[in-house]
Amino acid sequence: MDAVVKSFPGKDQDVKDARPSQAEVEAAVRTLLLWVGDDPEREGLVDTPKRVAKAYKDLFGGYDEDPEDVLGRTFEEVAGYDDMVLIRDIPFFSHCEHHMVPIIGKAHVAYLPDGKVLGLSKIARVIDIFARRLQTQEAMTAQVSTAIDETLRPLGVAVMIEAEHMCMAMRGIRKQGSTTLTTTFTGQFKTDPHQQARFMTMLRSNEGR
């Protein structure tokens, strides 16, 4: 798939500056509890607004992190290594921006180095940053690819994400177990079918074990 990721200067900072206070967040949760038909003053729910606010701060902590900061350090001592680097089966939890319910999946990321490599944990951290924001799977796939491509400047990036969306499993058509798969390729992964095939083959090489 081809995806366009746009940034709007100043917009993210404006949103951060407009964030409600802790008290306002807790009041909003109480309103929701009343709206669904429960009593926010009963024993089991008295502390729920505070807990939800704390949980949301963690679940959506990706808004306060910059993937460029994570990817900024690279290593050039690679002893001549110039083949594919693949990190697969990176688990993540995100939330659908349409219904704010979970997306549960795993990501596979590969790149072709051009003289420098990333620390392996950096890829997983980038997945985590974008996952801990309200997302669509298509946008997240493109965001991960763009962040690595623009920071590392490799010969190519390949990203595949496969996930189950609770907005399909828990509501609406209520179809559990269905998986959505998205891919983005840049550079040689996009122009060279052989590199795409190698990426897919390496992903499948351990299936069933």
Side-chain angles (χ1 to χ4, degrees):
M1 61 170 277
D2 293 325
V4 177
V5 181
K6 297 180 180 179
S7 60
F8 300 91
K11 184 176 180 181
D12 290 345
Q13 188 58 49
D14 290 344
V15 170
K16 289 180 180 179
D17 292 342
R19 283 182 174 176
S21 67
Q22 177 83 11
E24 289 173 319
V25 173
E26 292 181 20
V29 176
R30 290 189 188 93
T31 299
L32 284 173
L33 291 173
L34 285 168
W35 184 76
V36 299
D38 215 321
D39 177 9
E41 299 304 320
R42 71 177 175 84
E43 182 180 7
L45 294 180
V46 168
D47 291 326
T48 293
K50 185 180 297 184
R51 293 191 190 102
V52 171
K54 182 178 180 180
Y56 268 39
K57 191 171 185 179
D58 178 50
L59 292 171
F60 301 109
Y63 288 109
D64 294 320
E65 297 185 78
D66 188 341
E68 289 187 11
D69 294 339
V70 171
L71 295 170
R73 186 182 180 189
T74 58
F75 301 93
E76 297 185 7
E77 295 182 7
V78 295
Y81 185 83
D82 61 358
D83 206 349
M84 188 189 306
V85 177
L86 169 64
I87 305 94
R88 66 184 181 187
D89 297 326
I90 305 168
F92 72 87
F93 302 91
S94 189
H95 284 78
C96 163
E97 69 177 29
H98 300 137
H99 303 99
M100 294 183 70
V101 293
I103 301 170
I104 302 170
K106 56 185 177 181
H108 317 284
V109 179
Y111 67 91
L112 295 166
D114 188 16
K116 53 187 178 181
V117 297
L118 291 165
L120 297 180
S121 66
K122 306 299 185 185
I123 302 292
R125 286 191 62 192
V126 168
I127 297 294
D128 189 52
I129 288 173
F130 286 117
R132 291 192 301 129
R133 300 177 182 184
L134 291 172
Q135 283 290 6
T136 66
Q137 185 173 328
E138 297 88 345
M140 181 176 165
T141 307
Q143 289 163 354
V144 171
S145 173
T146 299
I148 296 170
D149 200 40
E150 292 184 350
T151 305
L152 185 61
R153 298 293 181 187
L155 299 175
V157 178
V159 178
M160 176 186 290
I161 292 180
E162 47 187 315
E164 183 176 6
H165 294 243
M166 294 299 106
C167 57
M168 285 182 60
M170 297 169 62
R171 56 163 300 282
I173 60 173
R174 292 184 173 87
K175 296 297 181 184
Q176 295 81 28
S178 62
T179 301
T180 300
L181 188 140
T182 50
T183 59
T184 293
F185 302 103
T186 71
Q188 291 184 15
F189 283 111
K190 187 169 185 176
T191 60
D192 186 350
H194 173 68
Q195 294 291 9
Q196 283 193 33
R198 287 186 64 218
F199 172 68
M200 301 301 294
T201 298
M202 290 175 71
L203 286 184
R204 292 194 298 262
S205 64
N206 239 12
E207 287 184 359
R209 293 189 181 182

